[in-house]
Amino acid sequence: MEPFAMKINQLSLLPLEIQDSVLRNLTFRECMRLSSVCRTWRSMVLNWQGMWETLSTDDNHNITDLEIYKNYIEGSFVNRIRLDTRSGDQLERVIDFLVMQKCTAIQKVDFHLSTMETQHLFQITSLCGNRLTEIALTLDEMGPNNVTPDVLLLNCPHLKKLYYSSLILETTHWKSTLVGLRHQHLIDLALDIYIVAGEFDARPFLEAAPQLRRLTLPFRSVRTVGSSLPSMLQQYCPKFANLVLISGNDYGIHIPGAVLEELSKADDPGLDCLVLRDTSSRYPVARDIIHQLDEEWCSRLKRLDLAGDTILDEAGLIYLSTLVFPSLTHLALGNIMANQQLNTRDRIPPTTAALCSFLSHCVPNLVSLRLQQLGTGTDGVLLALVSGAKFLQELTLDMCMVITLPGLIQFLKVLSDQGRTVKTLELRFMVAMAPKLMDALMCDYRPVITDRLVLYGCSGISVRDLERTCDKAKCLDGFNKLDLTFVHGNLAKHPNSDDVKRMLDKLDTKVDKWTLTLQMFAFDAYRNSIDQTYHPYKKMDHVLFRKRKQTSC
């Protein structure tokens, strides 16, 4: 039998590329724990270049605490800094540490600070200003000497991506500081600025960024330019392709990261992606932009997200139904409500007719659709999809209360009869959640879904219902990933662990990959007390479940 020490050392004897592959799957904190096992592993981990590529406070440690490892930190290895001063680290000390280590290769900076004065920026740019390509800066407090986005553009000539969020007193000096600047590398700009005295003017930034491909702004920042924003973008940014207008608190909504890479490589001008997500009716800009969509725009659009609360009124939806989007592959629509005054027994509401017409005639190459909080329409919306979106592969229905159980089953049946499939089906908080639906999804029409089924908020389905469905399911063809989230309003409705284990024993033989989550839907104080309640299957997946079974055997 090999000595334990010899087994331990096998990892350090692996080729460097394999060591790198193994260590990149660990967090910084896990690597630190690994380095404490033995001297050999300590040397292996601390001398590994990837250990110091990102210096961050994410793992609840201060960057300045790394000073004890300064002999291992080669400044040229460090290419990213993530600093949140709420962790207790101070910006001045961090900058001193970076200067001491000669970190001249930093390309990405992500700071969440109370304030950041211009002198601090100058210290950073003097160190690595010519290498910086991405900056994300969030300032919580308004300060007279705070760094502003125009200063960032002026001092970082190779910047490709800038995200800036802050409270600013006034912006009159921006027009003068940006005059004559033509930043040749910036392609992605996101500004979330609240101005105390005055209005935000986007024009100086558009004039200064002729290579801009994506712009993200809150609706309050486009009040001065209004519906003229698209024409301004065409005038100043000829390569522009991606416009995102959202409410100020919705910056968690982002276009997939791959899109930015596509933007940097694309050469053809024109709008590829339009995102309008407004949670307030105070800004009519979104509706104005929708009515500006013409044949040229429509022919190029690939992604259209109109999932805001107040974007699509009846007139807007009817107007969209008169257009054709031949290149559109990804679509999100939200909060479409019927005009109740027109919703009579013998007449289909105009919004319903327009939505069905739009889905059946206007988006022939649609691949992905998300319908959110649908308040108009009938099951005919799904049938319109079948007839119009022949290439549909991803469908998400989120709180679409007008979609019924018979309608969903009929939708699956029609797809099955036509020999068609969808890659992913996601159902969230649907009234149609019922045992019959599970039978249809996992038994009768299982081959319709080829990859992933997501059911969130299964209030109409119990664990025992799912167990009975597993007993019926004999065919293993179809989707190989199932994500289940049961959301209950009180602890009494939480399934007991024996029922869950019995169901999972059967589910694990029917589905290759799966996850199970048990959640509480309650007031925060009550939820916090529930979250502390132990349940062996509160969060489970196929990997952990199989490990437990193997261990118990």
Side-chain angles (χ1 to χ4, degrees), residues 308-443:
D309 291 345
T310 62
I311 300 299
L312 275 182
D313 56 8
E314 181 180 303
L317 190 56
I318 292 175
Y319 177 70
L320 285 179
S321 67
T322 66
L323 306 172
V324 177
F325 298 82
S327 301
L328 196 70
T329 57
H330 291 72
L331 173 66
L333 301 174
N335 297 282
I336 302 175
M337 300 296 172
N339 187 327
Q340 296 301 321
Q341 294 179 346
L342 299 177
N343 192 6
T344 59
R345 292 182 180 179
D346 57 352
R347 182 180 177 186
I348 299 176
T351 46
T352 301
L355 179 59
C356 291
S357 176
F358 177 70
L359 294 177
S360 60
H361 301 296
C362 304
V363 286
N365 295 301
L366 195 65
V367 173
S368 175
L369 173 65
R370 181 184 183 90
L371 293 176
Q372 180 177 313
Q373 295 185 8
L374 188 64
T376 187
T378 60
D379 297 328
V381 171
L382 296 179
L383 297 180
L385 269 180
V386 173
S387 63
K390 301 291 186 182
F391 303 101
L392 188 70
Q393 287 297 299
E394 300 172 1
L395 176 62
T396 299
L397 301 177
D398 187 355
M399 297 184 69
C400 296
M401 302 305 180
V402 295
I403 303 296
T404 67
L405 173 62
L408 267 175
I409 294 178
Q410 178 66 15
F411 172 68
L412 295 170
K413 181 179 185 304
V414 173
L415 289 178
S416 179
D417 292 344
Q418 295 182 5
R420 292 170 56 184
T421 61
V422 293
K423 186 177 179 181
T424 302
L425 177 63
E426 183 172 352
L427 305 177
R428 301 175 64 88
F429 292 114
M430 300 283 290
V431 295
M433 293 279 196
K436 285 186 178 180
L437 178 61
M438 290 304 304
D439 290 347
L441 290 169
M442 295 190 64
C443 301

Side-chain angles (χ1 to χ4, degrees), residues 285-332:
V285 177
R287 289 188 290 272
D288 293 341
I289 291 177
I290 288 175
H291 286 278
Q292 287 188 39
L293 292 175
D294 54 21
E295 183 177 348
E296 182 181 353
W297 278 24
C298 294
S299 65
R300 185 172 178 86
L301 267 180
K302 296 177 182 178
R303 294 173 180 266
L304 180 61
D305 187 331
L306 305 176
D309 291 345
T310 62
I311 300 299
L312 275 182
D313 56 8
E314 181 180 303
L317 190 56
I318 292 175
Y319 177 70
L320 285 179
S321 67
T322 66
L323 306 172
V324 177
F325 298 82
S327 301
L328 196 70
T329 57
H330 291 72
L331 173 66

Side-chain angles (χ1 to χ4, degrees), residues 137-149:
L137 180 59
T138 299
L139 303 178
D140 292 332
E141 299 177 9
M142 181 173 61
N145 298 318
N146 266 354
V147 172
T148 52

Side-chain angles (χ1 to χ4, degrees), residues 141-187:
E141 299 177 9
M142 181 173 61
N145 298 318
N146 266 354
V147 172
T148 52
D150 55 322
V151 175
L152 291 169
L153 292 181
L154 287 166
N155 289 276
C156 303
H158 298 285
L159 206 59
K160 291 183 178 180
K161 182 177 181 179
L162 172 61
Y163 167 78
Y164 180 91
S165 176
S166 180
L167 183 68
I168 294 179
L169 181 60
E170 55 86 25
T171 63
T172 54
H173 64 283
W174 285 2
K175 294 181 181 179
S176 59
T177 56
L178 290 174
V179 166
L181 176 65
R182 295 296 179 267
H183 201 292
Q184 296 302 317
H185 296 280
L186 190 70
I187 62 173

